[in-house]
Amino acid sequence: MNQRKATISRNTLETQITVSINLDGTGQSSFETGVPFLDHMMDQIARHGLIDLAVNAKGDLHIDDHHTVEDIGITLGQAFAEAVGDKKGITRYGHAYVPLDEALSRVVIDFSGRPGLEYHVPYTRASVGGFDVDLFSEFFHGFVNHAKVTLHIDSLRGTNTHHQAETVFKAFGRALRMALSVDERMAGITPSTKGCL
């Protein structure tokens, strides 16, 4: 398969964002967004997805985090769409359950080419560290609309809002890792050619 890397920049009146990804990375990450809790969550995507991810964002944080969080989701989705390319050879579907103490979340993804989000996370608090957790819905909407994936996110239980969010992002990373893995049958890889990759 070709190198699955992309760098995408998005510039609007509210934000200037650059996202670089390597889908075949080792989980390295670098963030400069001005939104620390989002950085912490995106680090989970990189670590658990084994995706190298760098995000640099400047936004109108003096108003609130909304535009920055949403536009990072959009730009990340665009980067995924470019890096995945024609999707030939990928497993396509991925799913993961992740617990953290009392919290448990499930994420299921399909690189279907059809954007759709089912997001069911009944957070027990409105914010963590000053971050409005409702903005995670905007992040994922931006992602699915531009990565063109079907994504189901369910928080199955949890009382600690930080734990709820963290299990969602860890499960998202692991579901991505499964969906983006190479399906040797779909890629036409036989034992005699496997070592040539």
Side-chain angles (χ1 to χ4, degrees), residues 184 187-197:
E184 295 180 357
I189 299 170
T190 64
S192 61
T193 62
K194 184 176 179 182
C196 299
L197 288 180

Side-chain angles (χ1 to χ4, degrees), residues 95-99 104-108 154 156 167 170-171 174-175:
H95 64 272
Y97 287 80
V98 170
L104 175 66
S105 292
R106 175 184 61 216
V107 174
V108 183
D154 294 277
L156 302 177
T167 56
K170 286 178 175 177
R174 289 186 169 266

Side-chain angles (χ1 to χ4, degrees), residues 54-191:
V55 180
N56 188 288
K58 295 180 181 178
D60 54 358
L61 298 179
H62 60 287
I63 297 174
D64 67 8
D65 296 342
H66 188 284
H67 293 135
T68 301
V69 174
E70 180 180 27
D71 286 3
I72 288 172
I74 289 170
T75 312
L76 183 64
Q78 291 171 333
F80 266 82
E82 182 171 312
V84 172
D86 64 9
K87 299 177 280 189
K88 184 177 180 180
I90 67 169
T91 300
R92 176 177 159 175
Y93 300 99
H95 64 272
Y97 287 80
V98 170
L100 175 57
D101 296 345
E102 88 299 344
L104 175 66
S105 292
R106 175 184 61 216
V107 174
V108 183
I109 193 166
D110 175 12
F111 277 80
S112 60
R114 296 182 305 279
L117 176 66
E118 288 291 330
Y119 182 81
H120 304 281
V121 186
Y123 289 111
T124 55
R125 284 187 289 144
S127 66
V128 176
F131 179 86
D132 178 359
V133 294
D134 282 346
L135 295 181
F136 284 140
S137 174
E138 302 301 324
F139 173 88
F140 285 113
H141 271 105
F143 178 83
V144 301
N145 287 335
H146 293 270
K148 294 183 172 57
V149 299
T150 301
L151 181 64
H152 287 244
I153 297 175
D154 294 277
S155 172
L156 302 177
R157 62 179 61 93
T159 56
N160 182 302
T161 302
H162 189 135
H163 292 174
Q164 289 176 288
E166 192 161 332
T167 56
V168 163
F169 276 84
K170 286 178 175 177
F172 179 56
R174 289 186 169 266
L176 285 170
R177 181 173 167 183
M178 178 186 290
L180 294 169
S181 65
V182 177
D183 185 325
E184 295 180 357
R185 294 164 300 169
M186 298 296 291
I189 299 170
T190 64

